[in-house]
Amino acid sequence: MDILLKQVGYSYAKDTPFEKRALTDVTLHIPSGSYTAIIGHTGSGKSTVLQHLNALLQPTEGSVLIGERKIEAGTKAKNLRDVRKKVGIVFQFPEQQLFDETVLKDIMFGPLNFGVPEEEARRRAIALVEQLGLPEDVLEKSPFDLSGGQMRRVAIAGVLAMEPDVLVLDEPTAGLDPRGRREIMDLFYRLHQEKGLTTVLVTHSMEDAARYADTVAIMHSGKCVATGDVREVFANEEQLGDYRLEPPRTVRMQREFEERTGLSLDELALTEESLARSIAQALQKGREPK
């Protein structure tokens, strides 16, 4: 499902003494089936954009097209249930949103609230617990008796149980150790591919954006200042610097290797695996007789 923000502006507490401008003239196209990373420093407007993607916030200027539903400034949008069913958001620390007495009830809550029959909601919950690598016996446990990593997976299952067309991830690995971060991000990427989801990752991590996204949008001072293919964006180190961002660690390592050895790698390395492979190939070429 496509999402299009067109010349979107947003002010918190508009027309009050506390009015604060958050977005100005933001135009951003998120194509159906794409994996888009929205990056930017703290206060750049990333989180405000995120909340427009399923109408948690509605623009004070411009319009947001979510699938075929248009939400326009100056017009009060009604009946947003379908939008919020189709666009699922995994917020930072989603486990803080757990509340029910058992894991099964917590996962079923969303679908039941949107009119899914109880047996179908139960089927989805059981399937998701298995898909997310949780033991089946967690279904009858309290979510608050689980480990932190398990609680997060249960919270994610609650979002996925809605069967959204668009999955929005707001720093979904905050607070996890490196292994846990990689497992969760790999899980989302697998779901993106298997289910054909439109995925939006809002992140401070250039490494996650580089590894998983195919398109990157840069937010700065409430504006979308650049969009492009992930390699194109991360190859432009001058532009990143202009917006107080650094390229991913692998790109920095690649530049250092090229400077020290005088060898050029064939492509921009966006992951550790591709960097190691490209370095090995470059060293092998360097040994070959001229």
Side-chain angles (χ1 to χ4, degrees), residues 28-45:
L28 174 62
H29 180 215
I30 300 170
S32 180
S34 67
Y35 195 129
T36 300
I38 302 177
I39 62 175
H41 58 81
T42 301
S44 62

Side-chain angles (χ1 to χ4, degrees), residues 104 199 257 274 280:
L104 179 62
T199 304
F257 170 83
S274 65

Side-chain angles (χ1 to χ4, degrees), residues 179-213:
R179 179 178 177 180
R181 289 200 298 270
R182 181 67 178 270
E183 287 177 351
I184 290 292
M185 290 305 300
D186 283 351
L187 166 67
F188 285 130
Y189 190 67
R190 188 174 74 246
L191 290 168
H192 167 75
Q193 292 186 307
E194 291 176 355
K195 296 181 178 294
L197 296 174
T198 303
T199 304
V200 182
L201 172 65
V202 177
T203 184
H204 286 96
S205 171
M206 302 301 104
E207 286 69 35
D208 284 348
R211 176 176 286 275
Y212 299 104

